Amino acid sequence: PVRELRDQKNQDRKERKVMGLKRCPFCGGEADFYQNYSDGYKKYFVTVKCEMCGAQGKVFSSERKWNPATLKSAEKAWNTRTERSNDE
């Protein structure tokens, strides 16, 4: 049972990584989705975080675990980059 759970978590992670997250804008590291549940709010909180430097994107909430719409919102926020000006 523990191995099956670990295998399922690894498979879920692989599927989420395929969604198209850009590399970290600060260090170039790979990013992944992170989710936590709050008993107080009775909601899941999802964000994208760099696995190397820990940079984190905007946090989104959902009442469902790994809600596809919430993941898509977190992905879009993480992948949004500002344009550099010619002054930089």
Side-chain angles (χ1 to χ4, degrees):
V2 173
R3 183 175 179 184
E4 289 175 10
L5 180 60
R6 188 174 353 117
D7 290 346
Q8 183 60 47
K9 287 175 85 173
N10 287 336
Q11 182 62 35
D12 291 346
R13 185 172 186 205
K14 286 178 189 173
E15 289 173 7
R16 289 192 308 273
K17 286 180 94 61
V18 172
M19 289 184 72
L21 292 174
K22 291 183 179 179
R23 289 189 166 271
C24 178
F26 304 105
C27 74
E30 287 191 24
D32 196 6
F33 294 96
Y34 286 81
Q35 177 176 262
N36 289 309
Y37 182 77
S38 169
D39 287 326
Y41 289 102
K42 305 277 189 249
K43 289 188 178 199
Y44 293 93
F45 291 91
V46 176
T47 189
V48 175
K49 189 173 179 181
C50 175
E51 295 178 344
M52 280 183 67
C53 72
Q56 179 179 312
K58 183 177 177 182
V59 178
F60 294 86
S61 66
S62 174
E63 294 179 2
R64 292 178 32 213
K65 188 173 187 178
W66 297 120
N67 182 341
T70 306
L71 292 173
K72 196 68 177 164
S73 294
E75 175 191 22
K76 183 177 179 184
W78 175 263
N79 287 343
T80 300
R81 304 288 197 254
T82 58
E83 295 293 323
R84 292 186 129 182
S85 69
N86 291 334
D87 297 338
E88 293 182 37

